[in-house]
Structure formats: structure tokens, C-alpha cells
Amino acid sequence: EVQLQASGGGLVQPGGSLRLSCAVSGFTTDDYAIGWFRQAPGKEREGVSSISSTDGSKYYADFVKGRATISFGNAKDTVYLQVNSLQLEDTAVYYCAGSRRPTSYIGPYYPTSAWMYESWGQGTQVTVSS
């Protein structure tokens, strides 16, 4: 089965940076997407970033565009999310999720909506505080 585990969260001051990691296993073919999502208390889960395993196509939500980088590790067993210039509103539990590309899907596959992802990992807490 597909397994994902987010890690790397912690306490950081405003303006600081974190690199989150998602350990990925169980995908048998190179036709999937990994997404990062976050959920703050009292708010809905929202997409942060996603990446296609096939061609590396990437998506960034507007609120992290320009200060976030999503990438695969060399062996594709890890996906990283580097976020710079963290602010108080970035405080949330961050989750990584996986989705296999539907057979009928044409083009790069890196969905941005949580409902497209069928496998979810345990979240990691990011707290931005002065």
C-alpha cells in the first residue's frame, strides 16, 4: 500500500524557514502526484503545493508562491517542501498526500484539490510564533 509520512515541522519565528519532508513508499509506477496541504484550527484544509512524479510539474498556492519550493529527493522516496518567510498565518498542521494518475488523464498530473488524493500521511505541526 502507499504510505506517506510528513515530518520536519516545528516552532519557527516569523521570517524564518522550514523544510518539510514527506517519506513516500508504495507507488509501483512513476505516474503519481504528491501534494502538500495544511489545516489551521477552525479552517478548512487547503492545498499548498503539488508535484508530478512523471515530469516534475509543480503547483503553488498563491499564498506561498515565491517563497516555497517543492521537490523530489534523488530516489523519489522523499518529497520536500521548503517554505521561506514564514508568517503567523502559516501556522497549521501540514499534510502530504498521494494520488495515482487516472488512466484516462491526459497531461501532467499534479492535482491541487484534496479530494483528488486517496492516500494521506500523518501531519506535522508548523507553528510560527515570535
Side-chain angles (χ1 to χ4, degrees), residues 87-110:
Q87 301 300 317
L88 298 181
E89 52 265 38
D90 293 315
T91 296
V93 177
Y94 285 70
Y95 300 87
C96 60
S99 177
R100 281 195 163 89
R101 179 182 60 82
T103 304
S104 60
Y105 192 88
I106 304 298
Y109 185 67
Y110 53 109

Side-chain angles (χ1 to χ4, degrees), residues 11-92:
L11 178 64
V12 62
Q13 294 183 339
S17 300
L18 283 174
R19 188 170 80 157
L20 307 181
S21 297
C22 178
V24 180
S25 64
F27 288 108
T28 58
T29 56
D30 193 22
D31 62 349
Y32 60 92
I34 302 295
W36 283 96
F37 297 81
R38 71 183 189 185
Q39 188 165 24
K43 296 185 178 179
E44 295 184 350
R45 188 167 298 187
E46 60 183 350
V48 179
S49 184
S50 60
I51 186 169
S52 167
S53 73
T54 304
D55 66 355
S57 296
K58 301 169 183 177
Y59 158 80
Y60 297 102
D62 287 343
F63 57 82
V64 295
K65 198 166 295 181
R67 60 189 183 100
T69 303
I70 188 170
S71 61
F72 277 104
N74 290 337
K76 283 192 176 180
D77 59 357
T78 309
V79 175
Y80 300 103
L81 179 68
Q82 173 78 32
V83 186
N84 303 320
S85 302
L86 287 160
Q87 301 300 317
L88 298 181
E89 52 265 38
D90 293 315
T91 296

